[in-house]
């Protein structure tokens, strides 16, 4: 495949996403569906939440452009091999099914049971359509865990969990857009490095579409991704995780590390709430990234720090893929250490804020020092319930 067949449509994806997102930012847009502040979000004013539409539409435009250009330049050569093309069709159909239902949910609201049912149906569509299952899990050192009959339900649960954790983590300006750009960018690298056109093409287009959206979503955000964007992209990330493992592109630890800034935060937060016997399905602001913002960091400072973690985790994933078994164990240890240090930082920030709030102000009898939840640049964007 000529690289120009990827680069030019990728640029089209970026431009399309940028233009569509800019249009959706306008209050006069007929698709101006607003996200209102609630107990889970960090914004204080209603903000359009249809940015995911721009990302998905830009990917579809880029795919059609790539196929059209190739049909004109080399009419006898298909964009993808026959078997790969049919598999890609199943993936796209499942992704669009999840997107449509999630978009309707953004517009009018749908019961959680219906949303989960559609996500499960989409998962089983690609599991049955292309045999997309996680049959085994490799542990560095030579150990392999065979899933056997559990492969299908485990694969379906992984897809559903990735879709929903992506949605859980879409609660800060520039966060989900950045994870999409960096995460799918690293997946595109593995698609290129292993000559796997499906992952290279789709991941590249998704990353560039996310970058176009991010131009309007970076703090202070003018628009959000919405469920239609976050759930669909999380579902697609889960699909590529399993697809890459099944086809021998990488083992499971590679995509886990790539998307670990989302996976680790969402999973650990869920487990903490479950252990404290809290209702895990209720809205909250206990994710680590939310706690950093509520401790006083601005959206911009927090998201830039998260970008650094994303790049570092992606780099470790690449190093892990090219390393020996002994080296992989060291890399996994370093990777776990990153999140341990991050957790320590969050706890330290929270303690610092608590101590600052408890120190009496010597100038005003009986009063206490007040600490802004956010620096002045972002104070209008945050509601803090303490």
């Amino acid at each position: 495949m000529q690289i120009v067949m990827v680069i030019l449509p990728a640029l089209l994806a970026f431009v399309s996403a940028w233009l569509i997102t800019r249009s959706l930012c306008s209050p006069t847009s007929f698709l101006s569906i607003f996200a209102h502040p609630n107990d889970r979000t960090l914004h204080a004013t209603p903000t359009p939440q249809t940015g995911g539409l721009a990302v998905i539409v830009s990917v579809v435009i880029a795919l059609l452009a790539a196929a059209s250009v190739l049909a004109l330049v080399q009419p006898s050569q298909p964009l993808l091999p026959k078997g790969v093309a049919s598999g890609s069709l199943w993936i796209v159909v499942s992704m669009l099914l999840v997107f449509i239902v999630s978009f309707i949910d953004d517009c009018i609201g749908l019961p959680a049971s219906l949303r989960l049912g559609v996500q499960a149906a989409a998962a089983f569509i690609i599991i049955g359509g292309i045999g997309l299952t996680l049959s085994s899990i490799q542990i560095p050192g030579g150990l392999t865990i065979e899933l056997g009959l559990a492969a299908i339900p485990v694969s379906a649960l992984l897809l559903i969990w990735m879709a929903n954790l992506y949605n859980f983590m879409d609660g800060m300006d520039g966060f989900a857009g950045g994870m999409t750009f960096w995460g799918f960018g690293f997946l595109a690298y593995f698609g290129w490095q292993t000559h796997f056109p499906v992952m290279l093409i789709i991941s590249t287009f998704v990353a560039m579409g996310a970058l176009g959206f991010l131009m309007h979503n970076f703090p202070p955000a003018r628009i959000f991704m919405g469920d239609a964007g976050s759930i669909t992209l999380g579902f697609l990330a889960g699909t590529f995780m399993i697809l890459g493992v099944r086809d021998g592109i990488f083992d499971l630890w590679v995509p886990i590390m790539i998307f670990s800034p989302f996976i680790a935060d969402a999973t650990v937060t869920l487990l903490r709430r479950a252990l404290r016997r809290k209702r895990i399905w209720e809205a909250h602001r206990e994710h680590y990234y939310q706690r950093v913002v509520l401790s006083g960091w601005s959206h911009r400072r927090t998201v830039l720090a998260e970008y650094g973690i994303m790049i570092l985790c992606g780099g470790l994933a690449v190093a892990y893929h090219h390393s020996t078994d002994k080296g992989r164990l060291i890399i996994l240890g370093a990777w776990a250490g990153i999140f341990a240090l991050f957790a320590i930082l969050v706890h330290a920030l929270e303690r610092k804020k608590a101590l600052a709030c408890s120190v009496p102000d010597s100038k005003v009898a009986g009063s206490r020092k007040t600490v802004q939840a956010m620096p002045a640049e972002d104070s209008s964007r945050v509601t803090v319930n303490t």
Side-chain angles (χ1 to χ4, degrees):
M1 177 187 300
Q2 297 180 357
I3 195 67
V4 70
M5 298 304 302
V6 178
I7 293 177
L8 293 180
L11 292 175
L12 178 61
F14 169 78
V15 173
S16 299
W18 183 81
L19 290 173
I20 296 172
T21 306
R22 186 181 66 172
S23 175
L24 294 173
C25 287
S26 172
T28 61
S29 171
F30 75 99
L31 289 174
S32 287
I33 303 164
F34 289 87
H36 296 276
N38 57 47
D39 291 336
R40 186 176 73 89
T41 60
L42 293 173
H43 68 287
T45 57
T47 305
Q49 60 173 348
T50 48
L53 176 66
V55 179
I56 303 303
V57 169
S58 69
V59 172
V60 174
I61 290 173
L63 288 170
L64 293 175
S68 300
V69 171
L70 186 63
L72 292 174
V73 176
Q74 300 179 6
S76 61
Q77 181 177 344
L79 180 63
L80 298 171
K82 185 176 181 181
V84 175
S86 61
S88 302
L89 181 61
W90 285 107
I91 293 174
V92 172
V93 168
S94 299
M95 183 182 73
L96 290 178
L97 176 62
V98 172
F99 169 76
I100 291 170
V101 173
S102 299
F103 186 76
I104 294 173
D105 180 54
D106 282 334
C107 295
I108 61 175
L110 294 173
S113 57
L114 176 59
R115 300 197 306 269
L116 287 173
V118 171
Q119 293 167 20
F124 284 110
I125 284 174
I126 55 176
I127 287 173
I130 61 176
L132 188 67
T133 58
L134 186 66
S135 59
S136 63
I137 300 175
Q138 292 184 347
I139 307 297
L143 179 63
T144 299
I145 301 174
E146 298 292 341
L147 296 179
L149 295 176
I152 291 178
V154 167
S155 301
L157 288 173
L158 175 60
L159 291 170
I160 295 170
W161 177 232
M162 281 298 297
N164 286 280
L165 76 82
Y166 222 92
N167 185 39
F168 297 158
M169 299 298 289
D170 181 25
M172 179 175 65
D173 298 358
F175 198 21
M179 182 76 263
T180 303
F181 173 71
W182 292 111
F184 281 88
F186 278 109
L187 288 181
Y189 162 78
F190 283 103
W192 167 77
Q193 195 263 336
T194 58
H195 306 286
F196 196 74
V198 172
M199 188 168 294
L200 170 62
I201 293 172
I202 298 180
S203 294
T204 300
F205 296 169
V206 170
M208 294 304 291
L211 184 60
F213 160 76
L214 196 57
M215 297 296 102
H216 304 281
N217 179 246
F218 190 77
R222 297 173 57 204
I223 190 170
F224 299 151
M225 187 175 288
D227 289 2
S230 59
I231 291 178
T232 304
L233 293 170
F235 187 88
L236 182 60
T239 299
F240 279 156
M241 289 174 68
I242 301 176
L243 183 65
V245 174
R246 188 199 68 174
D247 290 358
I249 298 175
F250 41 59
D251 68 39
L252 185 60
W253 291 105
V254 168
I256 286 178
M257 278 192 281
I258 290 173
F259 290 98
S260 59
F262 273 21
I263 296 173
D265 192 331
T267 304
V268 172
T269 301
L270 176 69
L271 292 175
R272 289 177 68 248
R273 287 180 61 81
L275 291 173
R276 295 177 181 180
R277 298 183 178 180
K278 293 185 178 182
R279 297 178 179 178
I280 60 177
W281 58 87
E282 287 186 344
H284 63 86
R285 287 186 291 181
E286 296 182 13
H287 289 288
Y288 283 89
Y289 76 92
Q290 293 171 319
R291 291 162 60 187
V292 170
V293 174
L294 295 175
S295 294
W297 280 29
S298 69
H299 280 243
R300 182 169 297 186
R301 184 182 183 185
T302 304
V303 82
L304 287 174
E306 291 283 2
Y307 288 174
I309 296 175
M310 292 173 191
I311 295 170
L312 185 55
C313 289
L316 288 175
V318 173
Y320 176 95
H321 180 72
H322 296 289
S323 185
T324 62
D325 281 345
K326 183 178 180 180
R328 289 180 173 184
L329 289 172
I330 296 173
I331 291 170
L332 286 176
W335 169 64
I338 291 171
F339 290 100
L341 289 173
F342 182 68
I344 293 171
L345 170 65
V346 175
H347 288 294
L349 289 173
E350 290 176 329
R351 286 196 301 270
K352 182 178 179 181
K353 179 186 177 183
L355 288 172
C357 290
S358 65
V359 175
D361 192 336
S362 59
K363 294 183 179 180
V364 181
S367 68
R368 295 184 181 275
K369 290 184 179 180
T370 58
V371 177
Q372 285 186 328
M374 294 288 294
E377 65 182 81
D378 289 336
S379 60
S380 65
R381 302 187 58 76
V382 176
T383 302
V384 181
N385 297 330
T386 56

